[in-house]
Amino acid sequence: MSQIWDFPSDIMISHLLSPSDYGTSLKDLNVVAMLHHFWEQKQVKGSDTQSEDSLKGSVSQSEDSVKGSVSQSEGLLLYESAPSPGPPYICYVTLPGGSCFGNYMECESQAKARRDAARVALINSLVNELPSRRITPQFITHSLQEAASASTFSVEDACDPSTSIGTYCLLLQSYTGRTMLEFQEVMTVFQLLHWNGTLKILRKRQCSRQSVIGYYSQRGLDASMRSSMALDWLGQERQTPRQLRAELQAAQSELDVARRHGNELRFYKEKTEILSLALSHAFTHQPHTDTHGPHTDSQESA
């Protein structure tokens, strides 16, 4: 395995992007194991850095921290397969921070779908380590200019935290020095809050944007938040019957398109799962026949 990581990242990425053009030494790489190894090493490295900052001079405590990180690495990645009576099969892999990727090739077996999903995730993980994928002041300026050109706000409005572009600026600045995937992970939370109507409700309650950002940036997505969103959609279904099915079909279509393009999928996948949960509550007295949502596979098998 150590020889695999001797390849420069750009060479690794080019080979992973073109599986039909693999050289002899890369042809049969176990991308599932490679992806696990990549994130295992990142966790150990992160634990080492944290130990150096907070436990200087305490060698024994630092060693315990590293050992703890290694033992926790067993459940780093989560693979999920969408139920299917036959090919083509679909598989998703969720990374430690919550980012999600799926196979974009048509796969004739679940094992091939798993390997293809791992390959897409590994490519994105490697690209995410490049210097150009860090949030910098220059990137923030460019992003704000793009956001302003696509809205009614000006770049100057970014200094006003009460505006949408001002909120976006605050989020970007709070992630300076971190990676694009890390930023995307927190942005997914706010995308879901906007989609669900929660942000609108919080504005009516006169909650400041800074307090909302601070709260949800630290909280992240959990089962409680998903259940709460599902209940909100259930309430909308009672007011507008059959809305849930239409929303779910649209979300499943978005997820499928994004997967086929090799995009990060968490926002689309969370939407389908939240809507599926709401729909299951709406029809508790009827047999559940929906087979589109993913089910959990065993953890990280090759």
Side-chain angles (χ1 to χ4, degrees):
M1 179 65 72
S2 62
Q3 293 179 350
I4 292 174
W5 298 101
D6 290 338
F7 287 99
S9 293
D10 55 347
I11 296 178
M12 284 292 299
I13 292 169
S14 66
H15 280 285
L16 288 165
L17 283 170
S18 305
S20 61
D21 297 328
Y22 282 167
T24 303
S25 60
L26 293 175
K27 184 177 181 180
D28 299 317
L29 289 183
N30 186 338
V31 289
V32 174
M34 289 171 64
L35 182 64
H36 175 90
H37 180 78
F38 175 88
W39 282 99
E40 184 179 52
Q41 292 304 306
K42 275 187 67 70
Q43 188 182 52
V44 172
K45 182 179 178 181
S47 180
D48 285 339
T49 301
Q50 188 177 32
S51 296
E52 290 175 2
D53 292 339
S54 60
L55 300 172
K56 290 182 179 179
S58 179
V59 176
S60 61
Q61 290 185 35
S62 178
E63 289 176 347
D64 290 341
S65 178
V66 174
K67 290 177 182 177
S69 70
V70 174
S71 64
Q72 294 169 5
S73 69
E74 294 303 319
L76 280 176
L77 310 175
L78 175 65
Y79 288 89
E80 299 170 282
S81 295
S84 174
Y89 293 98
I90 297 173
C91 182
Y92 303 100
V93 56
T94 300
L95 304 181
S99 296
C100 178
F101 298 94
N103 59 299
Y104 73 91
M105 298 178 66
E106 289 199 358
C107 299
E108 296 300 311
S109 71
Q110 291 183 344
K112 288 183 179 179
R114 180 179 297 242
R115 288 194 294 270
D116 192 51
R119 184 168 62 87
V120 174
L122 181 58
I123 291 169
N124 281 274
S125 298
L126 290 169
V127 170
N128 194 54
E129 295 300 303
L130 299 175
S132 60
R133 301 294 291 175
R134 294 280 171 178
I135 306 292
T136 63
Q138 293 78 12
F139 173 82
I140 293 175
T141 299
H142 179 70
S143 296
L144 293 176
Q145 290 172 344
E146 285 190 337
S149 65
S151 68
T152 58
F153 295 102
S154 66
V155 176
E156 289 71 24
D157 291 324
C159 298
D160 183 358
S162 66
T163 64
S164 296
I165 195 171
T167 303
Y168 183 51
C169 182
L170 284 175
L171 274 171
L172 283 168
Q173 290 174 343
S174 67
Y175 273 72
T176 299
R178 300 174 75 174
T179 68
M180 300 290 187
L181 272 185
E182 289 175 309
F183 180 66
Q184 179 60 47
E185 287 158 6
V186 73
M187 278 299 296
T188 297
V189 176
F190 291 98
Q191 284 178 291
L192 288 169
L193 292 172
H194 173 73
W195 163 74
N196 195 60
T198 302
L199 291 182
K200 184 177 181 180
I201 294 173
L202 292 174
R203 281 197 299 271
K204 289 182 178 179
R205 294 177 181 174
Q206 298 184 334
C207 298
S208 69
R209 293 177 186 265
Q210 294 95 322
S211 64
V212 172
I213 290 174
Y215 177 76
Y216 284 104
S217 294
Q218 295 298 319
R219 178 179 178 179
L221 281 170
D222 54 23
S224 175
M225 186 184 296
R226 293 185 187 94
S227 296
S228 178
M229 289 186 177
L231 288 174
D232 290 339
W233 280 102
L234 185 58
Q236 294 185 43
E237 171 70 10
R238 288 168 179 165
Q239 295 177 2
T240 311
R242 292 186 291 277
Q243 181 184 11
L244 266 179
R245 285 195 178 277
E247 287 286 340
L248 180 57
Q249 288 175 358
Q252 289 168 341
S253 178
E254 291 174 352
L255 175 60
D256 189 58
V257 170
R259 178 183 59 81
R260 291 176 183 273
H261 282 83
N263 296 339
E264 201 279 323
L265 304 175
R266 191 181 188 191
F267 174 59
Y268 309 104
K269 185 167 172 288
E270 291 286 355
K271 284 171 64 174
T272 61
E273 292 181 353
I274 290 167
L275 292 168
S276 295
L277 179 60
L279 194 61
S280 69
H281 284 299
F283 296 95
T284 51
H285 298 296
Q286 299 181 15
H288 184 68
T289 58
D290 178 59
T291 60
H292 293 282
H295 70 275
T296 302
D297 275 353
S298 59
Q299 299 266 349
E300 299 183 84
S301 62

